Amino acid sequence: MSSSPQSEDFDDAELVTLTDETGRELPCFIERELELDGKTYLLLLPENAPIEIFAWDEDDDITELVAVEEEEEISRIFADAHAVLSEQNLTLKRTAFTLSAVGELPPLDPTEVVTIELDEEDESLEPEEFQILARFYNEEQEYAICTPVDPLLFFGKADEKGAISLLSETEAEQLQPMLEDMLLDEI
């Protein structure tokens, strides 16, 4: 798995930039472009490896990984996570919608793959597999820096001027099943 999918498959792929409300950017390749009711919808693949940081939580003899989602905690541990990844020639970036790493990821090691349920309340969501890239401690808390085994894809849309944005939650609920069906038909 490579964090920069710049093989022959992406030599001609168009690169667009998603921007979040804080002004952070996430460069993405356009995987698929679909026209529906006069609007252009896009399936986007981040240019660099998406990164999740998890905290090891030991509670009642059960050890599990819990996603670090609070901006304050990410800010507090970011320098440590950046330093640990730099030892693997990876550069951790604060990008829109996800952290990302620039550089060549190590080969997939099945012994470093963990399965995590990201939303225990939503039973319709399948558990996700992540490859642990590194571990580190901050203030006696152990963390794991991971990348998803399966590609992280975003559904976006282009406006009349060509600006790209993510689908709103309502749009995603309404359109995602239809867009997925159209994508499966193309494949």
Side-chain angles (χ1 to χ4, degrees):
M1 176 195 251
S2 167
S3 67
S4 298
Q6 296 176 354
S7 65
E8 292 86 39
D9 296 343
F10 292 97
D11 284 346
D12 297 325
E14 185 178 351
L15 196 61
V16 296
T17 301
L18 288 173
T19 305
D20 68 11
E21 64 278 351
T22 67
R24 291 186 186 128
E25 296 180 340
L26 180 67
C28 294
F29 291 105
I30 297 176
E31 281 290 297
R32 297 276 191 274
E33 192 171 325
L34 304 167
E35 294 291 327
L36 181 64
D37 297 332
K39 295 184 180 173
T40 303
Y41 296 96
L42 308 164
L43 182 63
L44 304 169
L45 174 69
E47 176 184 29
N48 300 307
I51 296 293
E52 286 278 341
I53 300 177
F54 295 95
W56 290 96
D57 184 23
E58 295 183 31
D59 188 32
D60 298 328
D61 298 326
I62 297 173
T63 302
E64 65 180 350
L65 289 172
V66 178
V68 175
E69 297 175 344
E70 297 295 321
E71 281 294 319
E72 278 182 26
E73 186 172 8
I74 291 171
S75 293
R76 184 174 50 78
I77 64 175
F78 187 83
D80 291 339
H82 186 276
V84 169
L85 281 185
S86 69
E87 292 172 7
Q88 296 182 31
N89 296 320
L90 294 168
T91 303
L92 185 62
K93 302 253 183 198
R94 290 194 84 159
T95 50
F97 310 110
T98 184
L99 296 172
S100 62
V102 177
E104 190 70 28
L105 290 179
L108 184 63
D109 179 355
T111 64
E112 290 294 324
V113 173
V114 293
T115 303
I116 299 173
E117 290 189 37
L118 292 179
D119 190 350
E120 293 177 5
E121 285 88 43
D122 190 347
E123 294 176 10
S124 67
L125 292 177
E126 294 290 319
E128 290 189 47
E129 290 187 318
F130 290 85
Q131 177 180 359
I132 298 175
L133 300 174
R135 294 178 170 97
F136 68 97
Y137 283 88
N138 182 287
E139 297 179 8
E140 298 183 22
Q141 171 66 56
E142 184 177 9
Y143 294 92
I145 303 170
C146 303
T147 190
V149 171
D150 293 326
L152 176 64
L153 299 169
F154 293 100
F155 280 107
K157 63 182 177 182
D159 67 14
E160 308 80 42
K161 297 177 184 172
I164 309 296
S165 62
L166 289 182
L167 296 182
S168 70
E169 206 171 299
T170 304
E171 290 172 315
E173 286 174 10
Q174 293 172 348
L175 296 173
Q176 192 162 342
M178 196 177 338
L179 293 173
E180 288 172 351
D181 288 343
M182 291 174 73
L183 287 171
L184 288 174
D185 289 344
E186 280 189 17
I187 296 171

